Coordinates of all heavy atoms in Angstrom, one line a residue:
R1 N -2.9 -32.6 -16.7 CA -3.9 -31.6 -16.3 C -5.1 -32.4 -15.6 O -5.6 -33.4 -16.1 CB -4.4 -30.9 -17.5 CG -3.4 -29.9 -18.0 CD -4.0 -29.2 -19.2 NE -3.1 -28.1 -19.6 CZ -3.4 -27.1 -20.3 NH1 -4.6 -26.9 -20.7 NH2 -2.6 -26.2 -20.6
K2 N -5.6 -31.8 -14.6 CA -6.7 -32.3 -13.9 C -7.9 -31.4 -14.1 O -7.8 -30.2 -13.9 CB -6.5 -32.4 -12.4 CG -7.6 -33.0 -11.6 CD -7.3 -33.2 -10.2 CE -8.5 -33.7 -9.5 NZ -8.4 -33.8 -8.0
K3 N -9.0 -31.9 -14.5 CA -10.2 -31.1 -14.8 C -11.0 -31.1 -13.4 O -11.3 -32.1 -12.8 CB -11.1 -31.8 -15.9 CG -12.2 -31.0 -16.3 CD -11.8 -30.0 -17.3 CE -13.1 -29.4 -18.0 NZ -12.8 -28.4 -18.9
F4 N -11.4 -29.8 -13.0 CA -12.2 -29.7 -11.8 C -13.7 -29.5 -12.1 O -14.0 -29.2 -13.3 CB -11.7 -28.4 -11.0 CG -10.3 -28.7 -10.4 CD1 -9.2 -28.3 -11.1 CD2 -10.2 -29.2 -9.2 CE1 -7.9 -28.5 -10.5 CE2 -9.0 -29.4 -8.6 CZ -7.8 -29.1 -9.3
S5 N -14.5 -29.7 -11.1 CA -15.9 -29.7 -11.3 C -16.5 -28.4 -11.9 O -17.5 -28.4 -12.5 CB -16.6 -30.2 -10.0 OG -16.4 -29.2 -9.0
R6 N -15.9 -27.3 -11.6 CA -16.4 -26.0 -12.0 C -15.9 -25.7 -13.4 O -16.1 -24.6 -13.9 CB -16.0 -24.9 -11.0 CG -16.8 -25.1 -9.8 CD -16.7 -23.8 -9.0 NE -17.6 -23.9 -7.8 CZ -17.7 -22.9 -7.0 NH1 -17.1 -21.8 -7.2 NH2 -18.5 -23.1 -5.9
G7 N -15.2 -26.6 -14.1 CA -14.8 -26.3 -15.4 C -13.4 -25.8 -15.6 O -13.0 -25.5 -16.7
T8 N -12.7 -25.6 -14.5 CA -11.3 -25.0 -14.7 C -10.3 -26.2 -14.9 O -10.6 -27.3 -14.5 CB -10.9 -24.3 -13.4 OG1 -11.0 -25.1 -12.3 CG2 -11.8 -23.0 -13.2
T9 N -9.2 -25.9 -15.5 CA -8.2 -26.9 -15.8 C -6.9 -26.4 -15.2 O -6.5 -25.2 -15.5 CB -8.1 -27.1 -17.3 OG1 -9.3 -27.5 -17.8 CG2 -7.1 -28.2 -17.6
V10 N -6.2 -27.2 -14.5 CA -4.9 -26.9 -13.9 C -3.8 -27.1 -15.0 O -3.8 -28.1 -15.7 CB -4.6 -27.7 -12.7 CG1 -3.2 -27.4 -12.1 CG2 -5.7 -27.5 -11.6
S11 N -2.9 -26.1 -15.1 CA -1.8 -26.3 -16.0 C -0.5 -26.5 -15.2 O -0.3 -25.9 -14.2 CB -1.7 -25.0 -16.8 OG -0.5 -25.0 -17.6
A12 N 0.3 -27.4 -15.7 CA 1.6 -27.7 -15.1 C 2.6 -26.6 -15.5 O 3.7 -26.5 -14.9 CB 2.1 -29.1 -15.5
D13 N 2.3 -25.8 -16.5 CA 3.2 -24.7 -17.0 C 3.0 -23.5 -16.1 O 2.0 -22.8 -16.2 CB 2.8 -24.4 -18.5 CG 3.7 -23.3 -19.0 OD1 4.7 -22.9 -18.4 OD2 3.4 -22.9 -20.2
P14 N 4.0 -23.1 -15.4 CA 3.9 -21.9 -14.5 C 3.7 -20.6 -15.3 O 3.1 -19.7 -14.8 CB 5.2 -21.9 -13.7 CG 6.1 -22.9 -14.3 CD 5.3 -23.8 -15.2
D15 N 4.2 -20.6 -16.5 CA 4.0 -19.4 -17.4 C 2.5 -19.2 -17.8 O 2.2 -18.1 -18.2 CB 4.8 -19.5 -18.6 CG 6.3 -19.4 -18.3 OD1 6.7 -18.8 -17.3 OD2 7.1 -19.9 -19.1
F16 N 1.7 -20.2 -17.5 CA 0.2 -20.1 -17.8 C -0.4 -19.1 -16.9 O -1.4 -18.5 -17.2 CB -0.4 -21.5 -17.7 CG -1.9 -21.5 -17.9 CD1 -2.4 -21.5 -19.2 CD2 -2.7 -21.6 -16.8 CE1 -3.8 -21.5 -19.4 CE2 -4.1 -21.6 -17.0 CZ -4.6 -21.6 -18.3
Y17 N 0.1 -19.0 -15.7 CA -0.5 -18.2 -14.6 C 0.2 -16.8 -14.5 O 1.4 -16.6 -14.8 CB -0.4 -18.9 -13.3 CG -1.1 -20.2 -13.3 CD1 -0.4 -21.4 -13.5 CD2 -2.5 -20.3 -13.3 CE1 -1.0 -22.6 -13.6 CE2 -3.1 -21.5 -13.3 CZ -2.4 -22.7 -13.5 OH -3.0 -23.9 -13.6
P18 N -0.6 -15.8 -14.0 CA 0.0 -14.5 -13.8 C 1.1 -14.5 -12.7 O 1.0 -15.4 -11.8 CB -1.1 -13.6 -13.5 CG -2.2 -14.5 -13.0 CD -2.0 -15.8 -13.7
S19 N 2.1 -13.7 -12.8 CA 3.1 -13.6 -11.8 C 2.5 -13.0 -10.5 O 1.4 -12.4 -10.5 CB 4.3 -12.7 -12.2 OG 3.8 -11.4 -12.3
A20 N 3.2 -13.2 -9.4 CA 2.8 -12.6 -8.1 C 2.7 -11.1 -8.2 O 1.8 -10.5 -7.7 CB 3.7 -13.0 -7.0
A21 N 3.6 -10.5 -9.0 CA 3.7 -9.1 -9.2 C 2.4 -8.6 -9.9 O 1.8 -7.6 -9.6 CB 4.9 -8.6 -9.9
E22 N 2.0 -9.4 -10.9 CA 0.8 -9.0 -11.7 C -0.4 -9.1 -10.8 O -1.3 -8.2 -10.9 CB 0.7 -9.9 -12.9 CG 1.7 -9.7 -14.0 CD 1.5 -10.8 -15.1 OE1 2.0 -11.9 -14.9 OE2 0.8 -10.5 -16.1
I23 N -0.5 -10.1 -10.0 CA -1.7 -10.3 -9.2 C -1.8 -9.2 -8.2 O -2.8 -8.6 -7.9 CB -1.6 -11.7 -8.4 CG1 -1.8 -12.8 -9.5 CG2 -2.7 -11.8 -7.3 CD1 -1.5 -14.2 -8.9
L24 N -0.6 -8.8 -7.6 CA -0.6 -7.8 -6.6 C -0.9 -6.4 -7.2 O -1.6 -5.6 -6.6 CB 0.8 -7.7 -5.9 CG 1.0 -6.7 -4.8 CD1 0.0 -7.0 -3.7 CD2 2.4 -6.7 -4.2
S25 N -0.5 -6.2 -8.5 CA -0.8 -5.0 -9.2 C -2.3 -4.8 -9.4 O -2.9 -3.8 -9.2 CB 0.0 -4.9 -10.5 OG -0.4 -3.8 -11.3
V26 N -2.9 -5.9 -9.8 CA -4.4 -5.9 -10.1 C -5.1 -5.7 -8.7 O -6.0 -4.9 -8.6 CB -4.9 -7.2 -10.8 CG1 -6.4 -7.3 -10.8 CG2 -4.3 -7.2 -12.2
F27 N -4.7 -6.4 -7.7 CA -5.3 -6.3 -6.4 C -5.2 -4.8 -5.9 O -6.2 -4.2 -5.4 CB -4.6 -7.2 -5.4 CG -5.1 -7.1 -4.0 CD1 -6.2 -7.9 -3.7 CD2 -4.6 -6.3 -3.0 CE1 -6.8 -7.9 -2.4 CE2 -5.1 -6.3 -1.8 CZ -6.2 -7.1 -1.4
N28 N -4.0 -4.2 -6.0 CA -3.9 -2.8 -5.6 C -4.7 -1.8 -6.4 O -5.3 -0.9 -5.9 CB -2.4 -2.4 -5.6 CG -1.6 -3.0 -4.5 OD1 -2.2 -3.3 -3.4 ND2 -0.4 -3.3 -4.7
R29 N -4.8 -2.0 -7.7 CA -5.6 -1.1 -8.6 C -7.1 -1.2 -8.2 O -7.8 -0.2 -8.1 CB -5.4 -1.5 -10.0 CG -4.2 -0.9 -10.6 CD -4.2 -0.9 -12.2 NE -4.9 -2.0 -12.8 CZ -4.3 -3.2 -13.2 NH1 -3.0 -3.3 -13.0 NH2 -5.0 -4.1 -13.8
I30 N -7.5 -2.5 -7.9 CA -8.9 -2.6 -7.6 C -9.2 -2.0 -6.2 O -10.2 -1.3 -6.0 CB -9.3 -4.1 -7.6 CG1 -9.4 -4.6 -9.0 CG2 -10.7 -4.4 -6.9 CD1 -9.5 -6.1 -9.2
H31 N -8.3 -2.3 -5.3 CA -8.4 -1.7 -3.9 C -8.5 -0.2 -4.0 O -9.4 0.5 -3.4 CB -7.3 -2.1 -3.0 CG -7.3 -1.5 -1.7 ND1 -6.6 -0.4 -1.3 CD2 -8.0 -1.9 -0.5 CE1 -6.9 -0.1 -0.1 NE2 -7.7 -1.0 0.4
D32 N -7.6 0.4 -4.7 CA -7.6 1.9 -4.8 C -8.9 2.4 -5.4 O -9.4 3.4 -5.0 CB -6.4 2.4 -5.7 CG -5.1 2.1 -5.0 OD1 -5.0 1.9 -3.7 OD2 -4.0 2.2 -5.7
H33 N -9.4 1.7 -6.5 CA -10.6 2.2 -7.1 C -11.8 2.0 -6.2 O -12.6 2.9 -6.1 CB -10.8 1.3 -8.4 CG -12.0 1.8 -9.2 ND1 -11.9 2.8 -10.1 CD2 -13.3 1.5 -9.2 CE1 -13.0 3.0 -10.7 NE2 -13.9 2.2 -10.1
V34 N -11.9 0.9 -5.5 CA -13.0 0.8 -4.5 C -12.9 1.8 -3.4 O -14.0 2.4 -3.1 CB -13.0 -0.7 -3.9 CG1 -13.9 -0.8 -2.7 CG2 -13.3 -1.7 -5.0
M35 N -11.8 2.1 -2.9 CA -11.6 3.1 -1.8 C -12.1 4.5 -2.3 O -12.7 5.2 -1.6 CB -10.2 3.1 -1.3 CG -9.8 1.8 -0.5 SD -11.0 1.3 0.7 CE -10.7 2.5 2.0
M36 N -11.7 4.8 -3.6 CA -12.1 6.0 -4.2 C -13.7 6.1 -4.3 O -14.3 7.1 -3.9 CB -11.5 6.2 -5.6 CG -11.9 7.5 -6.3 SD -11.4 7.5 -8.0 CE -12.4 6.2 -8.7
E37 N -14.3 5.1 -4.8 CA -15.7 5.1 -4.9 C -16.5 5.1 -3.6 O -17.5 5.7 -3.5 CB -16.2 3.8 -5.8 CG -15.9 4.0 -7.2 CD -16.6 3.0 -8.1 OE1 -17.5 2.3 -7.6 OE2 -16.2 2.9 -9.3
L38 N -15.9 4.4 -2.6 CA -16.6 4.3 -1.3 C -16.7 5.7 -0.7 O -17.6 6.0 0.1 CB -15.9 3.4 -0.4 CG -16.2 1.9 -0.6 CD1 -15.4 1.0 0.4 CD2 -17.7 1.6 -0.4
K39 N -15.7 6.6 -0.9 CA -15.8 7.9 -0.3 C -17.0 8.7 -0.7 O -17.5 9.5 0.0 CB -14.6 8.7 -0.8 CG -13.3 8.3 -0.1 CD -12.1 9.1 -0.7 CE -10.8 8.6 -0.2 NZ -9.7 9.2 -0.7
E40 N -17.5 8.4 -1.9 CA -18.7 9.1 -2.5 C -20.0 8.3 -2.4 O -21.0 8.7 -2.8 CB -18.4 9.5 -3.9 CG -17.1 10.1 -4.0 CD -17.1 11.3 -4.9 OE1 -18.1 11.6 -5.6 OE2 -16.0 12.0 -5.0
Y41 N -19.9 7.0 -1.9 CA -21.1 6.2 -1.9 C -22.0 6.6 -0.7 O -21.6 6.7 0.4 CB -20.6 4.7 -1.6 CG -21.7 3.7 -2.0 CD1 -21.9 3.3 -3.3 CD2 -22.5 3.2 -1.0 CE1 -22.9 2.4 -3.6 CE2 -23.5 2.3 -1.4 CZ -23.7 1.9 -2.7 OH -24.7 1.0 -3.0
P42 N -23.3 6.8 -1.1 CA -24.3 7.2 0.0 C -24.5 6.0 1.0 O -24.9 4.9 0.6 CB -25.6 7.4 -0.8 CG -25.2 7.5 -2.2 CD -23.9 6.7 -2.4
L43 N -24.2 6.3 2.3 CA -24.4 5.3 3.3 C -25.8 4.8 3.3 O -26.1 3.7 3.7 CB -24.0 5.9 4.7 CG -22.5 6.3 4.8 CD1 -22.3 6.9 6.2 CD2 -21.7 5.0 4.6
S44 N -26.8 5.6 3.0 CA -28.2 5.2 3.0 C -28.4 4.0 2.0 O -29.4 3.3 2.2 CB -29.1 6.4 2.6 OG -28.8 6.8 1.3
Q45 N -27.6 3.8 1.0 CA -27.8 2.7 0.1 C -27.2 1.4 0.6 O -27.5 0.4 0.0 CB -27.1 3.1 -1.3 CG -27.9 4.2 -2.0 CD -27.3 4.5 -3.3 OE1 -26.5 3.7 -3.9 NE2 -27.6 5.6 -3.9
L46 N -26.4 1.4 1.7 CA -25.8 0.2 2.1 C -26.8 -0.9 2.6 O -26.5 -2.1 2.5 CB -24.8 0.5 3.2 CG -23.5 1.2 2.7 CD1 -22.7 1.5 3.9 CD2 -22.8 0.4 1.7
N47 N -28.0 -0.4 3.1 CA -29.0 -1.4 3.5 C -29.9 -1.8 2.4 O -30.9 -2.6 2.6 CB -29.8 -0.8 4.7 CG -29.0 -0.9 6.0 OD1 -28.2 -1.8 6.2 ND2 -29.1 0.1 6.8
E48 N -29.7 -1.4 1.2 CA -30.5 -1.8 0.1 C -30.3 -3.3 -0.2 O -29.1 -3.8 -0.1 CB -30.2 -1.0 -1.2 CG -30.7 0.5 -1.1 CD -30.4 1.3 -2.3 OE1 -29.9 0.7 -3.3 OE2 -30.7 2.5 -2.3
T49 N -31.3 -4.0 -0.7 CA -31.1 -5.4 -1.0 C -30.5 -5.5 -2.4 O -30.6 -4.6 -3.2 CB -32.4 -6.1 -1.0 OG1 -33.3 -5.5 -1.9 CG2 -33.1 -6.1 0.4
V50 N -29.9 -6.7 -2.6 CA -29.3 -7.0 -3.9 C -30.0 -8.2 -4.4 O -30.6 -9.0 -3.6 CB -27.8 -7.3 -3.8 CG1 -27.0 -6.1 -3.4 CG2 -27.5 -8.4 -2.8
G51 N -30.0 -8.4 -5.7 CA -30.8 -9.5 -6.3 C -30.0 -10.8 -6.1 O -28.8 -10.9 -5.9
K52 N -30.8 -11.9 -6.2 CA -30.2 -13.2 -6.2 C -29.6 -13.5 -7.5 O -30.0 -13.0 -8.6 CB -31.2 -14.3 -5.8 CG -31.6 -14.1 -4.4 CD -32.5 -15.3 -4.0 CE -32.9 -15.2 -2.5 NZ -33.6 -16.3 -2.0
P53 N -28.5 -14.3 -7.6 CA -27.9 -15.0 -6.5 C -26.9 -14.2 -5.8 O -26.1 -13.5 -6.4 CB -27.3 -16.2 -7.1 CG -26.9 -15.7 -8.5 CD -28.0 -14.8 -8.9
Y54 N -27.0 -14.1 -4.5 CA -26.0 -13.4 -3.7 C -25.2 -14.4 -2.9 O -25.7 -15.5 -2.6 CB -26.6 -12.3 -2.8 CG -27.7 -12.7 -2.0 CD1 -27.5 -13.3 -0.8 CD2 -29.0 -12.4 -2.4 CE1 -28.5 -13.7 0.0 CE2 -30.1 -12.8 -1.6 CZ -29.8 -13.4 -0.4 OH -30.9 -13.8 0.4
A55 N -24.0 -14.1 -2.6 CA -23.1 -15.1 -2.0 C -23.5 -15.5 -0.6 O -23.5 -16.6 -0.2 CB -21.6 -14.7 -2.1
A56 N -23.7 -14.4 0.2 CA -23.9 -14.7 1.6 C -24.9 -13.7 2.3 O -25.6 -14.1 3.2 CB -22.6 -14.7 2.4
Y57 N -24.9 -12.5 1.8 CA -25.7 -11.5 2.5 C -26.6 -10.8 1.4 O -26.2 -10.6 0.3 CB -24.8 -10.4 3.1 CG -23.8 -10.9 4.1 CD1 -22.5 -11.2 3.7 CD2 -24.2 -11.0 5.4 CE1 -21.6 -11.7 4.7 CE2 -23.3 -11.5 6.4 CZ -22.0 -11.8 6.0 OH -21.1 -12.2 6.9
P58 N -27.8 -10.5 1.8 CA -28.8 -9.9 0.8 C -28.7 -8.4 0.7 O -29.5 -7.9 0.0 CB -30.1 -10.4 1.4 CG -29.9 -10.4 2.9 CD -28.5 -10.9 3.1
T59 N -27.8 -7.8 1.4 CA -27.7 -6.3 1.3 C -26.4 -5.9 0.7 O -25.4 -6.6 0.7 CB -27.8 -5.6 2.7 OG1 -26.7 -6.0 3.5 CG2 -29.1 -6.0 3.4
K60 N -26.3 -4.6 0.3 CA -25.1 -4.1 -0.3 C -24.0 -4.1 0.7 O -22.8 -4.4 0.4 CB -25.3 -2.7 -0.9 CG -26.2 -2.7 -2.1 CD -26.4 -1.3 -2.7 CE -27.3 -1.4 -3.9 NZ -27.5 -0.1 -4.5
L61 N -24.3 -3.7 2.0 CA -23.3 -3.7 3.0 C -22.8 -5.2 3.2 O -21.6 -5.4 3.4 CB -23.8 -3.2 4.3 CG -22.9 -3.3 5.6 CD1 -21.6 -2.5 5.3 CD2 -23.6 -2.8 6.8
G62 N -23.7 -6.1 3.2 CA -23.3 -7.5 3.4 C -22.4 -8.0 2.3 O -21.4 -8.7 2.5
C63 N -22.6 -7.5 1.1 CA -21.7 -7.8 0.0 C -20.3 -7.3 0.2 O -19.3 -8.0 -0.1 CB -22.3 -7.3 -1.4 SG -23.8 -8.1 -1.9
L64 N -20.2 -6.1 0.7 CA -18.9 -5.5 1.0 C -18.2 -6.3 2.1 O -17.0 -6.6 2.0 CB -19.0 -4.1 1.4 CG -19.4 -3.1 0.3 CD1 -19.7 -1.7 0.9 CD2 -18.3 -3.0 -0.8
L65 N -19.0 -6.7 3.1 CA -18.4 -7.5 4.2 C -17.9 -8.9 3.7 O -16.9 -9.4 4.0 CB -19.4 -7.7 5.3 CG -19.7 -6.5 6.1 CD1 -20.9 -6.8 7.1 CD2 -18.5 -5.9 6.8
F66 N -18.7 -9.5 2.8 CA -18.4 -10.8 2.2 C -17.1 -10.7 1.4 O -16.2 -11.6 1.5 CB -19.5 -11.3 1.3 CG -19.1 -12.6 0.7 CD1 -19.1 -13.8 1.4 CD2 -18.7 -12.6 -0.7 CE1 -18.8 -15.0 0.8 CE2 -18.4 -13.8 -1.3 CZ -18.4 -15.0 -0.6
C67 N -16.8 -9.6 0.7 CA -15.6 -9.5 0.0 C -14.4 -9.6 0.9 O -13.4 -10.3 0.6 CB -15.5 -8.1 -0.7 SG -16.6 -7.9 -2.1
A68 N -14.4 -9.0 2.1 CA -13.3 -9.1 3.0 C -13.2 -10.5 3.5 O -12.1 -11.0 3.7 CB -13.5 -8.1 4.2
H69 N -14.3 -11.1 3.9 CA -14.3 -12.5 4.4 C -13.7 -13.4 3.3 O -13.0 -14.4 3.7 CB -15.7 -12.9 4.8 CG -16.2 -12.2 5.9 ND1 -17.6 -12.1 6.2 CD2 -15.7 -11.4 6.9 CE1 -17.8 -11.4 7.3 NE2 -16.7 -10.9 7.7
H70 N -14.1 -13.2 2.1 CA -13.7 -14.1 1.0 C -12.1 -14.0 0.8 O -11.5 -15.0 0.7 CB -14.4 -13.7 -0.3 CG -14.2 -14.6 -1.4 ND1 -14.8 -15.8 -1.6 CD2 -13.3 -14.5 -2.5 CE1 -14.4 -16.4 -2.7 NE2 -13.5 -15.6 -3.3
E71 N -11.6 -12.8 0.9 CA -10.2 -12.6 0.8 C -9.4 -13.3 1.9 O -8.4 -13.8 1.8 CB -9.8 -11.1 0.7 CG -10.3 -10.5 -0.6 CD -9.7 -11.1 -1.8 OE1 -8.5 -11.5 -1.9 OE2 -10.5 -11.3 -2.8
M72 N -10.0 -13.2 3.2 CA -9.4 -13.8 4.3 C -9.3 -15.3 4.1 O -8.4 -16.0 4.5 CB -10.1 -13.5 5.6 CG -9.8 -12.1 6.1 SD -10.5 -11.7 7.7 CE -12.2 -12.0 7.6
L73 N -10.4 -15.9 3.6 CA -10.4 -17.3 3.3 C -9.3 -17.7 2.4 O -8.5 -18.7 2.7 CB -11.8 -17.7 2.6 CG -11.8 -19.1 2.1 CD1 -12.4 -20.0 3.2 CD2 -12.6 -19.2 0.9
H74 N -9.1 -17.0 1.3 CA -8.0 -17.3 0.4 C -6.6 -17.1 1.0 O -5.7 -17.8 0.8 CB -8.1 -16.5 -0.9 CG -9.3 -17.0 -1.7 ND1 -9.4 -18.3 -2.2 CD2 -10.4 -16.3 -2.2 CE1 -10.5 -18.4 -2.8 NE2 -11.1 -17.2 -2.9
A75 N -6.5 -16.0 1.9 CA -5.2 -15.8 2.6 C -4.9 -17.0 3.5 O -3.7 -17.5 3.5 CB -5.3 -14.5 3.4
G76 N -5.9 -17.6 4.1 CA -5.7 -18.8 4.9 C -5.3 -20.0 4.1 O -4.4 -20.8 4.5
Q77 N -5.9 -20.1 2.9 CA -5.5 -21.2 2.0 C -4.0 -21.0 1.6 O -3.3 -22.0 1.5 CB -6.4 -21.2 0.8 CG -7.8 -21.6 1.1 CD -8.8 -21.4 -0.1 OE1 -8.6 -20.5 -0.9 NE2 -9.7 -22.3 -0.2
I78 N -3.6 -19.8 1.3 CA -2.3 -19.6 0.9 C -1.3 -19.9 2.0 O -0.3 -20.5 1.8 CB -2.1 -18.1 0.4 CG1 -2.8 -17.9 -0.9 CG2 -0.6 -17.8 0.2 CD1 -3.0 -16.5 -1.4
G79 N -1.7 -19.5 3.2 CA -0.9 -19.8 4.4 C -0.7 -21.3 4.6 O 0.4 -21.8 4.9
L80 N -1.8 -22.0 4.4 CA -1.8 -23.5 4.5 C -0.8 -24.1 3.5 O 0.0 -25.0 3.8 CB -3.2 -24.1 4.4 CG -3.2 -25.6 4.4 CD1 -2.7 -26.2 5.7 CD2 -4.7 -26.1 4.2
L81 N -1.0 -23.6 2.3 CA -0.1 -24.2 1.2 C 1.4 -23.8 1.5 O 2.2 -24.7 1.2 CB -0.5 -23.6 -0.2 CG -1.8 -24.1 -0.7 CD1 -2.3 -23.2 -1.9 CD2 -1.7 -25.5 -1.1
R82 N 1.6 -22.7 2.0 CA 3.0 -22.3 2.3 C 3.6 -23.3 3.4 O 4.7 -23.8 3.2 CB 3.1 -20.9 2.9 CG 3.0 -19.8 1.8 CD 3.2 -18.4 2.4 NE 4.5 -18.3 2.9 CZ 5.6 -18.0 2.3 NH1 5.6 -17.9 1.0 NH2 6.8 -17.9 2.9
R83 N 2.8 -23.6 4.4 CA 3.2 -24.5 5.4 C 3.5 -25.9 4.8 O 4.4 -26.6 5.1 CB 2.2 -24.6 6.6 CG 2.3 -23.4 7.5 CD 1.6 -23.6 8.8 NE 0.1 -23.8 8.6 CZ -0.8 -22.8 8.4 NH1 -0.4 -21.6 8.4 NH2 -2.0 -23.1 8.3
L84 N 2.6 -26.3 3.9 CA 2.7 -27.7 3.3 C 3.9 -27.8 2.5 O 4.5 -28.8 2.3 CB 1.4 -28.0 2.5 CG 0.2 -28.3 3.3 CD1 -1.0 -28.4 2.3 CD2 0.3 -29.5 4.1
F85 N 4.4 -26.6 1.9 CA 5.6 -26.6 1.1 C 6.8 -26.3 1.9 O 7.9 -26.1 1.3 CB 5.4 -25.6 -0.1 CG 4.5 -26.1 -1.2 CD1 3.4 -25.4 -1.5 CD2 4.8 -27.2 -1.9 CE1 2.5 -25.8 -2.5 CE2 4.0 -27.7 -2.9 CZ 2.8 -27.0 -3.2
G86 N 6.7 -26.2 3.2 CA 7.8 -26.0 4.1 C 8.3 -24.6 4.2 O 9.4 -24.3 4.6
K87 N 7.5 -23.6 3.7 CA 7.8 -22.2 3.8 C 7.5 -21.6 5.1 O 6.6 -22.0 5.8 CB 7.1 -21.4 2.7 CG 7.3 -21.9 1.3 CD 8.6 -21.5 0.8 CE 8.8 -21.9 -0.7 NZ 10.1 -21.4 -1.2
A88 N 8.2 -20.5 5.4 CA 7.9 -19.8 6.7 C 6.6 -19.0 6.5 O 6.3 -18.6 5.4 CB 9.1 -18.9 7.0
P89 N 5.9 -18.7 7.6 CA 4.7 -17.9 7.5 C 5.1 -16.5 7.2 O 6.2 -16.0 7.5 CB 4.1 -18.0 8.9 CG 5.2 -18.5 9.8 CD 6.2 -19.2 9.0
I90 N 4.2 -15.7 6.6 CA 4.4 -14.3 6.3 C 3.7 -13.5 7.3 O 2.5 -13.7 7.6 CB 3.8 -14.0 4.9 CG1 4.6 -14.8 3.8 CG2 3.9 -12.5 4.6 CD1 4.0 -14.6 2.4
R91 N 4.3 -12.7 8.0 CA 3.7 -11.9 9.0 C 3.7 -10.4 8.7 O 4.6 -9.8 8.1 CB 4.5 -12.0 10.3 CG 4.6 -13.5 10.8 CD 3.6 -13.7 11.9 NE 3.8 -15.2 12.2 CZ 2.8 -15.9 12.5 NH1 1.6 -15.5 12.6 NH2 3.0 -17.2 12.9

C-alpha cells in the first residue's frame, strides 16, 4: 500500500473498492436528484455568493459549473488510464 499526501491509502485488493455498477448507480441517483431539485431552484439565487473555501467560483452558478468541469477532468483521467492499459476508447 502506498500512502498519499491527502491521507488516502491505495489497496491492492479489488474487493476494497465499489464495483463499476455501484459507482454508476450512485452517480445516476445523484444526477436524478439534482435534476429534480434544479427544476424548482430559483434562478435569482444562482448569482448568490458562497462561503469560502470554494473550489473555483464564488457563486452558486459557478459551483454548478465547477461540478461539470470536475467530472470532465476525471473522465479524461479514466480515458488516459484506459489507453495506458491498452484498452480501446469509449465513445
Side-chain angles (χ1 to χ4, degrees):
R1 290 180 172 201
K2 181 178 178 184
K3 188 83 167 175
F4 288 91
S5 62
R6 289 195 175 183
T8 58
T9 304
V10 176
S11 174
D13 178 10
D15 293 333
F16 177 79
Y17 300 100
S19 68
E22 289 175 279
I23 293 169
L24 186 58
S25 174
V26 170
F27 181 85
N28 286 330
R29 279 197 326 266
I30 291 170
H31 177 265
D32 292 343
H33 187 86
V34 167
M35 295 308 290
M36 179 191 67
E37 284 194 14
L38 279 177
K39 288 178 187 175
E40 310 222 355
Y41 196 83
L43 294 178
S44 61
Q45 290 183 15
L46 290 176
N47 284 325
E48 289 180 3
T49 59
V50 293
K52 289 188 177 186
Y54 50 82
Y57 302 95
T59 65
K60 290 180 180 181
L61 176 60
C63 290
L64 290 172
L65 293 172
F66 176 77
C67 288
H69 295 162
H70 187 79
E71 292 303 319
M72 286 190 300
L73 171 93
H74 290 303
Q77 291 171 326
I78 291 168
L80 175 61
L81 288 170
R82 286 185 60 81
R83 285 193 298 278
L84 290 172
F85 287 118
K87 302 282 186 180
I90 298 173
R91 303 254 180 222

